[in-house]
Amino acid sequence: LCTCAVLTTQAFADNSLNVLQDTLNRYQHVTAVFDQSTYDTNGSVSLRSHGSMALLRPGYFRWQTDTPNKQIISASPKDLTIYDVDLQ
């Protein structure tokens, strides 16, 4: 029973990954805005963040958080840059 559960879980994960890859392969660029909440062990929100992301194929990515701290992560085929605005 345990082996079957592991194989079923792996098959589900593999299928989910294939579905995600198939979906993303249809796009040359993607942008999104996000709100993220982190919860403590009691189930209370310990941190909220807000930001945006952009992806341009092939090889370009930008992740920006606006709250609680402004940070920009950008990647290209040659460079990875992490910029913390408060620390400059």
Side-chain angles (χ1 to χ4, degrees):
L1 177 66
C2 187
T3 303
C4 291
V6 170
L7 293 175
T8 302
T9 302
Q10 183 63 44
F12 178 76
D14 289 344
N15 186 54
S16 297
L17 179 58
N18 289 337
V19 169
L20 177 60
Q21 286 175 331
D22 290 344
T23 301
L24 292 177
N25 284 338
R26 292 184 285 187
Y27 299 97
Q28 279 301 110
H29 58 89
V30 176
T31 60
V33 174
F34 65 87
D35 291 299
Q36 177 179 324
S37 299
T38 304
Y39 296 87
D40 63 20
T41 56
N42 297 319
S44 299
V45 175
S46 60
L47 179 67
R48 291 186 194 273
S49 60
H50 173 79
S52 60
M53 63 80 61
L55 172 70
L56 176 64
R57 291 180 186 253
Y60 294 90
F61 179 76
R62 178 183 170 99
W63 181 273
Q64 178 175 326
T65 55
D66 298 320
T67 61
N69 302 314
K70 189 161 186 171
Q71 184 181 59
I72 301 168
I73 301 170
S74 62
S76 72
K78 294 183 180 185
D79 297 305
L80 172 66
T81 304
I82 301 173
Y83 178 62
D84 189 320
V85 176
D86 294 334
L87 297 177
Q88 296 184 1

